Amino acid sequence: MPGVELLEMERIRQNSRCCGMGGGLKMGFPEIQALAAAERIKEAERTEAAAIVTPCPTCFLGLQTGAAKAESDISVRHLMELVNISVFGQ
């Protein structure tokens, strides 16, 4: 997508951190999930990126929770939002 610079966080691939939404953690321990997602958001902020993008609908919700918990201004976007903008414009 023109005008988009992709940045990687420090912890990626097999070393990446989870947003905490998997395995029912949100249902059983919502505060732990929010803390895990907030840590992922803080990691994204260290890249100085304007947004964190995920293709996963549950991570999208989890990262939104994390951004709220961390009181972050970073935008949480689903990958399909960006595809839609790229194809159809804003």
Side-chain angles (χ1 to χ4, degrees), residues 31-88:
E31 186 57 31
I32 294 173
Q33 183 278 319
L35 290 170
E39 285 301 315
R40 192 67 171 151
I41 291 294
K42 290 174 188 174
E43 186 177 8
E45 287 178 327
R46 287 192 292 274
T47 69
E48 299 182 3
I52 183 169
V53 180
T54 179
C56 175
T58 55
C59 289
F60 175 73
L61 294 173
L63 292 168
Q64 286 181 321
T65 299
K69 178 77 174 176
E71 299 179 356
S72 176
D73 291 330
I74 198 165
S75 176
V76 178
R77 307 296 293 265
H78 191 282
L79 179 62
M80 293 313 296
E81 289 180 84
L82 300 183
V83 170
N84 185 51
I85 291 168
S86 176
V87 173
F88 300 108

